Amino acid sequence: MPNKTIYVTATDMPLFEEAARRAGGLSPAIATALRQYLATQGPAMDTPTTETIELDVTEGPRTVRTRFQGHRIARLNQTHGLREVSYSIYRTAKNQYALYTVDRPDWQRWSHDQHMWEQPETWTPDFHTTHERSLAVFPTADELVAQLPDDLTEAARHAMDAPAVHVLDI
């Protein structure tokens, strides 16, 4: 069983003895007091607040609105030929990792490359309108990173290892 040593001043000793008597031991008294203390303090400054995340996910021919609690910890983009793929990584309220992937035409490249129409894959209406959106949930960061392209794994690991909130005393 884990233990902690608490040093108590002589003037606080009667308080600790009375709390231990009422709670049936010092450990339950301290645990109850700590729970009450944390409940009144609100979220820790270095822990981001959980928010409702709403994403559109492609399921066959339809798009479904998907909702969960968490916060985004990284967004990475990559170009694959004529398409751009965006990867958003979320830490969920249950401390899992969600990977949201959006695959769409690379419109920025279109604005600079006048030869795009010469490529047959751009002739279909699906090329211009298809936005594949997927969501996958992973219990660990390692399992999530294994699903990313090799050149994004280092950036993803850095984002997941960085503090969620930078608290500045300025």
Side-chain angles (χ1 to χ4, degrees), residues 72-77 84-90 102 104 155 159:
R72 186 169 65 190
I73 56 176
R75 181 167 183 195
L76 310 164
N77 293 308
E84 177 185 35
V85 181
S86 170
Y87 303 91
S88 294
I89 300 172
Y90 297 88
V102 179
R104 62 183 159 264

Side-chain angles (χ1 to χ4, degrees), residues 8-68:
V8 180
T9 64
T11 56
D12 286 337
M13 198 60 186
L15 173 70
F16 276 74
E17 290 170 347
E18 179 62 18
R21 185 185 67 72
R22 290 185 188 188
L26 188 55
S27 183
I30 292 174
T32 299
L34 290 174
R35 276 192 282 281
Q36 290 174 349
Y37 173 78
L38 291 175
T40 63
Q41 297 304 305
M45 289 301 292
D46 60 350
T47 303
T49 56
T50 301
E51 58 188 89
T52 300
I53 308 296
E54 288 192 7
L55 305 170
D56 292 328
V57 177
T58 305
E59 290 185 359
R62 65 188 193 126
T63 300
V64 177
R65 175 67 46 123
T66 304
R67 183 180 298 143
F68 63 92

